Structure formats: structure tokens, C-alpha cells
Amino acid sequence: MGGRNSRSFVEQRRERLVSILAERGRASVVELAERLEASPITIRRDLSELEERGVLMRRYGEAVLLPCDGTASTEACRQAIARAAAELVSDDELVFINTSSTALALIPHLRASGVSVVTNSVLAQNLPAPPGGTLFVTGGEIRPPRGVLSGDFALANVRRVSAATCFVGCAGISLTAGVTSTTQQEAEVNSLMVNRSDRMVLLADSSKLGIGAGFTYAPLSRVALLITDAGATDEDVSILREAGVHEVMRVGSAAR
């Protein structure tokens, strides 16, 4: 089972396709097929799927990567944020990654060697392991539909790990509530990951700003770096820094 048509292989190829477009801005179907060693029919299928996700636009036989400028789709911004986060990971580093789709998206973008990733997401099994590294899943009670692993078993395994960095997403970022999750069980695991890490990197598109979503798992003062998109205004950044966020990185064509 599996092989070249498995879901993980398909997602890896699509991640590479997006990376090529990120480098060049645009590319033809023929060029992409040659670079990825795939048939033009396969590439067109990939492009159709990525266009539906809002990552790119097809026109005149080529694909153009959409910018993440605050008006692009959530998926385009998610990939831009994930790529920026992946560049922060060093060789042989051990990192936590929570169940956020944005945080998980950084795994296929990892280029550092020998990285160990610890995550509480069942969905991570569909992602490629880091180059020369290892992907650990905490285990625990599975909470569908997002495949969140939580409960005593997950917490016990997280407590056994000390990470250099945790890359975590959230349901909302609030000046009053801090960094939040939608469920108590998820917030508990997230909080422990933060506390067992030297540095907290928060990955969140600008739609999460100003949102309080139920359960706080970290104060804003714990956020060493927030990576968001260019939809975050200068005023947003100023307010977040005054509230305790140490540094803010905005990705996208309008970011500064």
C-alpha cells in the first residue's frame, strides 16, 4: 500500500510545487512537470486542487502563486506563515508542534537536518518526517474531527520532553484573554508544550487577532515571536507589542 500515489507523497509533491512557485513566482505546467518528475496530467490535477485552496491561480498554461497580503485566502497565508516558521528551525533541534493546521504545515517545509518534532496531532502521520529527523506523536485520547490528542496519556508524554522551541497555532489572540484554544483539553496540552519549551513561536493569520476563543493557554508576554500575515496593521503590531508580545513578523507582499 502507499507508494507514489499515497496521500503523503501527493502532499509532498504539492508542497514542492508551492516551494518552486515561491522561488520563481510563476511556472508553466511543462516546467513543473520536469522539476517534479511527474506527468503534465498529474501537475494539472495538483494545480486544480491548490487553486481551489486559494494558494495559486492558473492562467495561460502557467501557475502564479497568490500573495499573502491580507486579502488572499487563509490557505495562501497559512503556507506563507509556515514557510517562514520552518526557516527558524536549526539542525538537530527538538521542537513541539501543536494541532494547528498552520503549525503542522511547517513540517513539510523543514530543511534543517536531524530535527525531532513532537506533536499531539494524529494528522501528522500523513506528513513527511524532517530530513534525517524524527516525527514523534504523543498518543492520547483522540478528539475528532481534527485528530487532537489530549488527556493524561498525552500530557504525561509531553512532560518527558524539553524542547528548544514550540511552534503553536491558536483559535484567537486577545488582549484580555491572551492566546486561546476552543477546548479545555487542547488548551491544557498547548499550555504544557509552552511551559516545556525555551521559546514560544505563535503562528496565526491576521483573522485571529482580537479574538478570544474560550480557553487561555498562554499570556501574550510568553510569545517570543508572532508570525502573521500582512493583514495585521502597524497599529495591530504596536498594540500587541505593548501587550507583551516580544516580536512580530509579518509575511506577504505588503508586510514590513
Side-chain angles (χ1 to χ4, degrees):
M1 299 294 291
R4 292 182 61 88
N5 292 323
S6 68
R7 178 174 178 176
S8 61
F9 182 84
V10 171
E11 289 303 318
Q12 287 180 59
R13 185 181 64 243
R14 289 173 180 172
E15 291 290 349
R16 288 177 59 201
L17 189 157
V18 172
S19 295
I20 292 170
L21 292 179
E23 294 171 2
R24 303 186 55 186
R26 65 183 65 217
S28 70
V29 171
V30 173
E31 291 171 328
L32 290 169
E34 291 176 351
R35 289 281 299 273
L36 297 172
E37 298 181 345
S39 70
I41 293 175
T42 296
I43 295 301
R44 290 189 183 94
R45 187 183 304 120
D46 289 344
L47 294 177
S48 294
E49 171 64 23
L50 291 169
E51 187 173 39
E52 288 182 8
R53 296 184 194 176
V55 177
L56 54 82
M57 175 176 62
R58 292 186 298 168
R59 61 185 183 190
Y60 308 119
E62 64 178 10
V64 180
L65 190 67
L66 292 174
C68 179
D69 57 5
T71 61
S73 75
T74 300
E75 179 64 22
C77 291
R78 178 182 297 123
Q79 292 298 327
I81 292 168
R83 285 194 298 271
E87 293 176 2
L88 302 177
V89 181
S90 302
D91 289 349
D92 302 316
E93 188 172 356
L94 190 154
V95 301
F96 281 125
I97 292 178
N98 74 349
T99 58
S100 156
S101 58
T102 306
L104 288 170
L106 80 83
I107 295 177
H109 292 293
L110 286 170
R111 297 295 177 264
S113 176
V115 175
S116 296
V117 173
V118 179
T119 180
N120 65 320
S121 172
V122 170
L123 302 182
Q125 66 181 324
N126 296 320
L127 300 174
T134 308
L135 187 60
F136 296 94
V137 179
T138 63
E141 301 169 15
I142 301 177
R143 302 184 65 82
R146 291 174 48 236
V148 175
L149 294 165
S150 60
D152 291 341
F153 195 91
L155 293 169
N157 285 324
V158 171
R159 287 192 187 97
R160 297 171 61 190
V161 180
S162 296
T165 308
C166 64
F167 292 93
V168 290
C170 64
I173 307 168
S174 167
L175 296 181
T176 55
V179 186
T180 59
S181 293
T182 54
T183 69
Q184 182 272 331
Q185 295 88 348
E186 190 172 4
E188 194 172 15
V189 177
N190 290 344
S191 179
L192 187 58
M193 285 184 171
V194 170
N195 290 332
R196 298 292 301 174
S197 303
D198 296 330
R199 176 177 64 159
M200 174 185 176
V201 177
L202 181 61
L203 313 180
D205 65 75
S206 57
S207 70
K208 305 288 180 65
L209 303 183
I211 303 296
F215 297 89
T216 300
Y217 75 82
L220 294 182
S221 60
R222 189 67 174 84
V223 181
L225 172 64
L226 165 64
I227 305 180
T228 187
D229 60 65
T233 66
D234 290 342
E235 182 180 6
D236 291 331
V237 172
S238 178
I239 291 172
L240 287 166
R241 285 176 172 163
E242 289 177 4
V245 175
H246 294 256
E247 185 179 354
V248 178
M249 177 193 299
R250 288 176 288 179
V251 299
S253 60
R256 291 187 292 275

